[in-house]
């Protein structure tokens, strides 16, 4: 074998080792980094959907909003400067910045800023308005959904296969792109046109895009702790990919200036990223033809405009999958006229046999939206043979705050199905149905099978039932920490003043979660005599207890100063 052949083989091995090593590191390193950050930087371990007040205090103390807006602003500034000054390195740094929140999906935490989730601070301007806005990139999941549907026809749940297929294919293309590029430099060619460059003008970028697509799908599958923030990285991936495509176009402008006709000829015969049928290519370039009157942008300004055009198109199409927070209940139920035909259709839909996980309260809500005329038909559902129908009818009552149905909720306390009874107990508490206090309290002496006492006590606490205080005091000696914590919370609902001695005593509880709950409650109600008790836990072994105790003391003192004025 000649020396030249050996050198080419060496280049090939170098390209493959570099590419797969880099891709492997991007998968393994996030897990290690997340673990390191979790053990180094203290953050709340709470889900924002359930502990909004505590999380908001954390935001305020550490200026998270300011940091988030600054980060995103700097990223967009880098991208804009990169395109306007033709400094592709700046724009590339901006695109990586946009992509970083995808790695945040590797975080093993309920709080989306804990561990590697710190990278989500870049998205804070979006999250601060609505988590639903992160779905404005969902259109990019369409190929994945189509493939999942196709494989499901053969009874194959191909999720894991597709994740590794995308990442493996991307790494393979990236590796061959690196090899072909190194080979062109070795041969001192002005333009890389051989090997994979015959089929793509930007194989490394294509490989990165495909690999990162798999990574975007892979992160959210790692754990089930995310709860309310278990989003995918579709929006950051979309924006980052559009910027990378813009970089490809910038590079082509540079190559056109440098290589002239040679590059133009190569450009005319070789696909941009991957070979596409002519009809598909025409569809993708139609917006450019319509707005810029050309098939491809020729200046940095036109590249920037093209990116904005496609960002608007893809985000607009994604809006069809965005589920924005529910409107106020009164708005949801407004404007629907009674229609007996529609009522009958909704009843048929509701009673249609289906798996419980496929059920929704939407048809129940539409039925209720027709007003009192439809209530008689709706209330029939409480006597349906299917317990799922009865349970969802109960849920719809308290979800849409239909007080006329409270007597039916009270009757449902005698239902033979425990799930129906649980939903009824919860609903009566949520709606503060004071007329149900007697019936709920009677359950404490004769609990139906499968009904936890804590559920009944919680519902009665929302009704300010003072009779449950002895039960709650007894619960403070329960073995399970969450029962003690729930009892303290219920006490405060019933009588905050009477609950204070028990709160102060529980600051010495053995379990940190109970102590966290106590400092959270004190942070909410800010009793002026709590300062000496809170000062005793400023050296608590638990960071959250120390942090929120300190904030509670600060706010109580501010409150005292205002009262003195």
């Amino acid at each position: 074998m000649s020396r030249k052949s050996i050198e080419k083989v060496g280049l090939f091995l170098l390209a493959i080792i570099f590419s797969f090593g880099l891709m492997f590191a991007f998968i393994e390193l996030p897990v290690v980094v997340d673990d390191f950050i979790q053990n180094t930087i203290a953050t709340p371990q709470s889900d924002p959907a359930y502990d909004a007040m505590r999380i908001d205090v954390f935001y305020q103390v550490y200026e998270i909003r300011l940091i988030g807006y600054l980060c995103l602003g700097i990223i967009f500034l880098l991208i804009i400067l990169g395109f306007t000054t033709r400094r592709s390195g700046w724009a590339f740094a901006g695109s990586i910045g946009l992509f970083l929140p995808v790695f945040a999906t590797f975080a093993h935490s309920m709080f989306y800023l804990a561990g590697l989730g710190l990278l989500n601070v870049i998205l804070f301007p979006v999250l601060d308005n609505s988590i639903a806005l992160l779905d404005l990139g969902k259109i990019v999941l369409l190929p994945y959904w189509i493939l999942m549907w196709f494989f499901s026809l053969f009874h194959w749940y191909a999720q894991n296969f597709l994740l590794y297929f995308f990442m493996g294919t991307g790494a393979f293309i990236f590796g061959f792109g690196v090899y072909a590029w190194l080979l062109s430099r070795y041969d001192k060619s002005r333009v890389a046109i051989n090997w994979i460059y015959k089929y793509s003008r930007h194989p490394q970028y294509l490989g990165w895009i495909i690999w990162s697509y798999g990574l975007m799908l892979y992160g959210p599958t790692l754990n089930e702790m995310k709860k309310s923030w278990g989003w995918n990285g579709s929006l950051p991936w979309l924006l980052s990919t559009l910027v990378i495509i813009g970089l490809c176009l910038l590079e082509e402008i540079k190559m056109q200036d440098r290589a002239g006709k040679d590059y133009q000829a190569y450009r005319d015969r070789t696909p941009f990223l991957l070979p596409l049928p002519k009809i598909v290519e025409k569809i993708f370039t139609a917006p450019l033809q319509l707005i810029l009157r050309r098939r491809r942008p020729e200046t940095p300004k036109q590249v920037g405009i093209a990116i904005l055009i496609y960002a608007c198109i893809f985000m607009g199409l994604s809006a069809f999958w965005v589920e924005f927070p529910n409107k106020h209940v009164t708005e949801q139920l407004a404007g629907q006229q009674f229609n007996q035909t529609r009522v009958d259709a909704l009843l048929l839909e509701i009673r249609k046999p289906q798996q419980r996980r496929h059920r929704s309260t939407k048809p129940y809500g539409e039925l209720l939206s027709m007003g009192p005329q439809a209530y008689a038909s709706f209330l029939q559902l409480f006597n349906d043979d299917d317990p799922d129908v009865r349970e969802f009818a109960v849920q719809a009552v308290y979800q849409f705050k239909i007080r006329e149905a409270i007597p039916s909720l009270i009757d449902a306390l005698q239902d033979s199905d425990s799930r129906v009874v649980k939903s009824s107990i919860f609903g009566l508490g949520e709606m503060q149905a004071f007329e149900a206090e007697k019936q709920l309290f009677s359950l404490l002496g004769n609990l139906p099978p499968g009904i936890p006492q804590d559920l009944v006590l919680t519902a009665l606490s929302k009704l300010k039932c003072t009779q449950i205080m002895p039960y709650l005091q007894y619960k403070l000696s329960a073995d399970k920490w969450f029962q003690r914590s729930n009892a303290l919370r219920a006490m405060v609902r019933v009588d905050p003043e009477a609950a204070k001695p028990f709160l102060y005593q529980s600051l010495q509880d053995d379990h940190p979660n109970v102590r966290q709950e106590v400092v959270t409650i004190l942070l909410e109600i800010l009793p002026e005599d709590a300062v000496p008790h809170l000062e005793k836990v400023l050296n608590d072994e638990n960071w959250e207890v120390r942090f929120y105790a300190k904030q509670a003391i600060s706010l109580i003192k501010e409150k005292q100063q205002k009262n003195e004025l």
Side-chain angles (χ1 to χ4, degrees), residues 337-348:
Q337 293 185 346
F338 179 80
N339 183 309
Q340 187 61 53
T341 303
R342 182 57 183 160
V343 167
D344 294 338
L346 287 169
L347 290 173
L348 283 174

Side-chain angles (χ1 to χ4, degrees), residues 40 46 68 88 151 163 191 272 331 418 444 447 464:
T40 306
S46 306
S88 57
F151 286 117
L163 303 186
V191 181
F272 177 58
E331 294 177 8
S418 62
L444 291 175
L447 281 172
K464 313 292 184 185

